[in-house]
Amino acid sequence: MRKIIYLLLFSIIVLQLGCATSRFATKKGDPILQLEQNYSVSLDSTWTTKHAQTLLKILKSIAPTLNIPVSIWHISDELPKEINIDFQTGQTSVTVGRDVFTRDGTQNPSLIDKRLFYIVVHLITEDGTNREALKLIMKERYGIIVDIPSYALLTQYTTNETAQHYSEFENKDLMLMISIFEEFPEALHKIPQLRYVVRRIDRNIRPLAFSWTHNGYIEFAEYLFGLSNIDDVRRLIAHEKTHFLWSYLFSEQLQQEWILLGGWYEDPNDPFGWSTTKDRSEFVSDYAYQGNPDEDMAESIAYYLVYPDKLRSSSRAKYKFIHEKIMLTFGSRYISADALLGR
């Protein structure tokens, strides 16, 4: 009898230990708990585990080493815009509109990721005022450094200029760049050959934006960031990044298909070395028409991201090509960055 009692007690202890282990494993893998422990993010009962997992994934990808503000998160059915962040001493309140998760009747995971990304950027950069956080996002998410160790070394094979010809990007400039870099598919976020961006003081000596693809950087004129039309600035930034995609990531087959679509052929008598058999109406801009396949692609992708209707109206074939062979091939994307730009 005593032996049976011992066996029963032993079984109970083993069962309790198993339950405790199971509860511990569940808690350890619980995204809501991880958000609270690792990022001081507290989610109220309006959040689901699935949405918490998405938020955790984004924080891990862009803020692995940042101390972000202590925050409480709520999902609202009545918020007229996507986010409202109330920065307070000691605790920040983040309200997320329900539309972030369901817009136009869809629950596309890639769209939810993108919307939550913009919210997280606002939080960890303290509404675009935390410069160190902005620089970290530029480096970790897009592989781009904004603090140049030596302008003389960087430009020694291009313009041979020193620091006196350049200025630091303002925080709003970095927020603007992040807003358009994020519009590219995730697989195109980082281009190993694109290492730096610089802000040139003199706007008259070269175009407002220029890609030095063989030297690893893009230069933007200081004047560019003072333009009143923010979307035109975003379009130019997207244009310059696309040159690096054309030079280093797009396959020869993809390039050849684009050349054929644009009716391009090599022409030694043309300043750009190329001409086209197509009409001007099939190009999204004069610059695309007068340039070469690389410029045509850069203009077309920039318009696809910022002014998609203009690209569709000029060439449905090019819009479809970019959508299917670039955007869908390299991953989904979400056009609007209004949440990040505060519009």
Side-chain angles (χ1 to χ4, degrees):
M1 184 68 180
R2 183 179 297 178
K3 189 174 182 179
I4 293 174
I5 292 173
Y6 284 155
L7 285 173
L8 286 172
L9 288 172
F10 179 75
S11 298
I12 291 170
I13 292 171
V14 170
L15 182 61
Q16 288 178 336
L17 286 173
C19 290
T21 302
S22 177
R23 285 197 302 269
F24 177 75
T26 301
K27 285 186 177 181
K28 187 176 180 180
D30 184 358
I32 296 176
L33 186 62
Q34 290 183 55
L35 283 165
E36 190 165 354
Q37 291 179 340
N38 300 334
Y39 296 99
S40 301
V41 168
S42 297
L43 305 182
D44 69 10
S45 60
T46 59
W47 284 78
T48 65
T49 301
K50 182 179 179 181
H51 292 155
Q53 184 64 54
T54 302
L55 180 60
L56 178 63
K57 181 183 70 173
I58 292 170
L59 278 164
K60 283 181 176 179
S61 71
I62 65 176
T65 60
L66 273 179
N67 293 321
I68 68 175
V70 176
S71 57
I72 296 178
W73 293 58
H74 172 72
I75 297 175
S76 171
D77 293 310
E78 301 175 356
L79 192 67
K81 58 181 182 178
E82 291 190 346
I83 59 169
N84 181 61
I85 302 180
D86 185 11
F87 290 96
Q88 301 174 9
T89 303
Q91 182 174 283
T92 298
S93 175
V94 182
T95 304
V96 181
R98 181 73 64 181
D99 281 353
V100 166
F101 302 101
T102 55
R103 174 176 292 181
D104 300 328
T106 66
Q107 289 184 311
N108 188 322
S110 64
L111 304 190
I112 295 172
D113 286 4
K114 198 72 70 176
R115 294 164 189 156
L116 283 178
F117 167 81
Y118 294 138
I119 295 169
V120 170
V121 168
H122 268 293
L123 176 69
I124 68 178
T125 66
E126 299 171 57
D127 221 10
T129 62
N130 186 328
R131 187 171 185 81
E132 291 307 310
L134 286 166
K135 291 192 297 184
L136 184 65
I137 293 172
M138 288 287 289
K139 181 179 178 182
E140 296 298 324
R141 196 162 180 87
Y142 312 111
I144 295 175
I145 297 171
V146 299
D147 287 339
I148 311 303
S150 170
Y151 286 99
L153 287 176
L154 183 66
T155 65
Q156 63 180 327
Y157 301 116
T158 55
T159 59
N160 198 27
E161 295 171 331
T162 60
Q164 67 180 1
H165 297 93
Y166 299 91
S167 63
E168 283 191 348
F169 287 102
E170 296 181 12
N171 290 350
K172 64 179 181 62
D173 303 338
L174 300 180
M175 284 287 279
L176 195 61
M177 279 190 272
I178 290 170
S179 79
I180 189 61
F181 287 154
E182 189 63 24
E183 294 303 306
F184 286 85
E186 187 173 352
L188 302 181
H189 280 178
K190 287 185 178 180
I191 309 170
Q193 294 80 6
L194 175 54
R195 299 184 296 275
Y196 302 100
V197 289
V198 298
R199 191 172 186 253
R200 190 182 71 245
I201 294 173
D202 191 344
R203 68 169 175 149
N204 297 315
I205 57 176
R206 286 185 293 279
L208 289 180
F210 194 87
S211 293
W212 298 98
T213 53
H214 297 297
N215 305 92
Y217 71 99
I218 300 173
E219 68 170 27
F220 300 106
E222 186 178 84
Y223 175 81
L224 174 66
F225 295 95
L227 296 180
S228 58
N229 190 329
I230 292 177
D231 282 334
D232 275 348
V233 180
R234 296 175 71 241
R235 178 177 59 80
L236 283 171
I237 295 171
H239 176 112
E240 298 308 327
K241 172 165 180 168
T242 302
H243 283 311
F244 278 85
L245 299 177
W246 178 274
S247 296
Y248 295 107
L249 292 187
F250 291 161
S251 67
E252 183 177 351
Q253 178 181 344
L254 186 144
Q255 291 181 357
Q256 289 302 318
E257 290 177 9
W258 181 258
I259 289 170
L260 181 63
L261 180 62
W264 291 103
Y265 63 92
E266 294 187 61
D267 181 1
N269 297 318
D270 185 88
F272 278 91
W274 292 80
S275 291
T276 177
T277 59
K278 303 287 186 177
D279 294 334
R280 163 63 183 87
S281 60
E282 296 186 42
F283 293 82
V284 75
S285 69
D286 288 338
Y287 195 68
Y289 174 66
Q290 296 166 358
N292 55 37
D294 183 1
E295 296 294 350
D296 183 21
M297 174 70 85
E299 280 286 87
S300 297
I301 287 182
Y303 273 86
Y304 175 93
L305 293 174
V306 182
Y307 299 122
D309 290 342
K310 290 184 178 180
L311 178 61
R312 267 195 300 264
S313 65
S314 65
S315 175
R316 287 187 174 274
K318 287 182 178 178
Y319 182 93
K320 182 180 179 181
F321 183 99
I322 292 171
H323 184 71
E324 295 180 355
K325 295 183 179 293
I326 297 175
M327 298 300 164
L328 294 184
T329 298
F330 289 94
S332 299
R333 95 326 169 205
Y334 168 51
I335 291 177
S336 174
D338 288 353
L340 185 55
L341 298 175
R343 300 186 304 194

